[in-house]
Amino acid sequence: MHAGTHSMKEALKPVQAKGRAPAGTGDWLAGIAMGPAGVRQFRLFRPPGVTFGERLPLMVMLHGCHQDAKTFAASTRMNVVAARERFLVLYPEQDRLSNPQGCWNWFDTKSGRAHHEVTLIMRALDLACTLYSADRERIGIVGLSAGASMAALVVTRHPERFKAVTMHSGIPPGTASSPLSAVGAMHGRRATKPLPASPGTTSLAWPPLLVIHGDSDAVVAPSNGRAAAQVWANAAGAVPGSGRNVQRGNRHPMRVIDFKRQGATVATLVEVECLAHAWSGGAANQHFSDRKGPDASRMAWAFTAKQFGRQR
């Protein structure tokens, strides 16, 4: 083999590996969304056996720093849940030119960059609905770390588009507005601004929120998880229940608190013991993944699916 040809093949290996589908059945489709912040790639998982005209629910998954669509899919194993429960999964992907660590710029609201990235994510969502027949009335959004903070920001900008939002190890919206303030927020040294109150007495402005956070998280302080649930509850006038302790098999125990208003769950806080800055119940041998935690992917889907029949 010619030396130049061999070198080119070696150089292309990481690109080819990134393009290959994660393990499991189903289609791993590629796409591009364009907007004021430029261009972002996305991946969409479609479970096997989808028939023509069939409209499936959609889960939007926003990865954390140092991740991309494929590594996030591999870590969370959300595609396995999607294949079993029959829903689509959209993985927008941050560009390394926009953030060298691959983080969503959720904090950069002063410059407008965060809001431009929200627009790109929504463009990818609309493409998923148009090209792959996702059901526009059954959409949830999930994020890890910076992706969790971006997911919350997306929802506060477009609350009518989502039935539920899940924040895993993230920082609530209104806690930072610049890179410097984001560092303070990560360490729990920033107060969270209130969300606008829900209009009227019977409707809720924001879709229900599920918060999952490890009590051993040294990257994003656990106080951020509590603040996210509380700010969501305050906006709706919801009050916390007494909480319950849950342990499934040999997985890490968790403390679950529901915040309710008039019997409806506005926010649920899940604090996982011994969990660091990692996806709870994630695949083994993956970065930012703890296989010993309760399965966050199953929790996020169950929480979201429960909202599909609920009127706001």
Side-chain angles (χ1 to χ4, degrees), residues 257-280:
I257 302 174
D258 293 317
F259 296 75
K260 293 189 176 185
R261 174 188 165 203
Q262 299 177 356
T265 299
V266 170
T268 296
L269 172 62
V270 177
E271 295 180 303
V272 183
E273 292 185 21
C274 306
L275 178 68
H277 194 66
W279 187 267
S280 184

Side-chain angles (χ1 to χ4, degrees), residues 35-60:
V39 175
R40 296 295 185 278
Q41 296 183 49
F42 65 82
R43 293 282 177 172
L44 185 130
F45 173 79
R46 181 172 58 191
V50 178
T51 59
F52 180 77
E54 184 180 6
R55 305 191 77 81
L56 297 181
L58 176 68
M59 290 286 273
V60 181

Side-chain angles (χ1 to χ4, degrees):
M1 182 185 293
H2 191 275
T5 304
H6 177 75
S7 299
M8 183 175 293
K9 286 188 175 182
E10 289 297 312
L12 286 173
K13 278 185 178 180
V15 178
Q16 293 166 343
K18 182 178 178 180
R20 286 196 294 268
T25 58
D27 299 318
W28 184 244
L29 307 166
I32 293 177
M34 293 180 287
V39 175
R40 296 295 185 278
Q41 296 183 49
F42 65 82
R43 293 282 177 172
L44 185 130
F45 173 79
R46 181 172 58 191
V50 178
T51 59
F52 180 77
E54 184 180 6
R55 305 191 77 81
L56 297 181
L58 176 68
M59 290 286 273
V60 181
M61 296 284 288
L62 300 181
H63 62 75
C65 301
H66 306 289
Q67 293 181 313
D68 56 24
K70 184 178 179 180
T71 57
F72 195 40
S75 172
T76 63
R77 296 183 290 191
M78 185 62 85
N79 294 355
V80 176
V81 181
R84 183 177 64 245
E85 302 291 342
R86 293 189 61 73
F87 59 90
L88 303 169
V89 191
L90 175 68
Y91 297 91
E93 196 169 79
Q94 177 63 302
D95 189 281
R96 292 303 173 108
L97 293 177
S98 299
N99 188 292
Q101 287 76 43
C103 310
W104 295 102
N105 294 301
W106 61 272
F107 49 82
D108 210 351
T109 55
K110 281 185 178 179
S111 72
R113 182 164 60 162
H115 298 149
H116 290 330
E117 291 186 0
V118 168
T119 300
L120 278 166
I121 291 166
M122 294 304 297
R123 295 271 174 86
L125 184 156
D126 286 333
L127 284 170
C129 292
T130 301
L131 299 177
Y132 303 109
S133 299
D135 187 342
R136 294 179 185 271
E137 300 301 317
R138 293 186 293 166
I139 300 176
I141 187 167
V142 183
L144 172 66
S145 191
S149 302
M150 180 56 84
L153 181 63
V154 169
V155 166
T156 59
R157 304 279 290 182
H158 302 276
E160 75 287 351
R161 298 296 303 275
F162 300 94
K163 292 297 185 183
V165 54
T166 300
M167 294 180 64
H168 194 317
S169 309
I171 297 167
T175 311
S177 58
S178 66
L180 184 60
S181 61
V183 174
M186 289 173 65
H187 292 95
R189 296 197 295 263
R190 296 272 303 180
T192 299
K193 294 180 181 178
L195 291 173
S198 301
T201 58
T202 59
S203 62
L204 302 178
W206 316 114
L209 169 70
L210 172 63
V211 177
I212 302 171
H213 213 116
D215 70 359
S216 299
D217 193 332
V219 176
V220 176
S223 59
N224 283 292
R226 294 188 286 273
Q230 191 64 61
V231 74
W232 227 260
N234 290 346
V239 296
S242 58
R244 59 194 184 275
N245 296 315
V246 180
Q247 184 169 16
R248 292 167 179 162
N250 295 320
R251 293 179 182 268
H252 299 321
M254 54 185 172
R255 178 75 173 167
V256 182
I257 302 174
D258 293 317
F259 296 75
K260 293 189 176 185
R261 174 188 165 203
Q262 299 177 356
T265 299
V266 170
T268 296
L269 172 62
V270 177
E271 295 180 303
V272 183
E273 292 185 21
C274 306
L275 178 68
H277 194 66
W279 187 267
S280 184
N285 303 318
Q286 292 285 333
H287 293 299
F288 311 110
S289 183
D290 184 348
R291 65 181 179 84
K292 295 182 179 179
D295 193 331
S297 294
R298 290 179 63 184
M299 284 193 285
W301 167 248
F303 183 84
T304 302
K306 189 175 180 180
Q307 315 308 322
F308 287 155
R310 174 182 169 186
Q311 299 297 317
R312 292 210 308 272

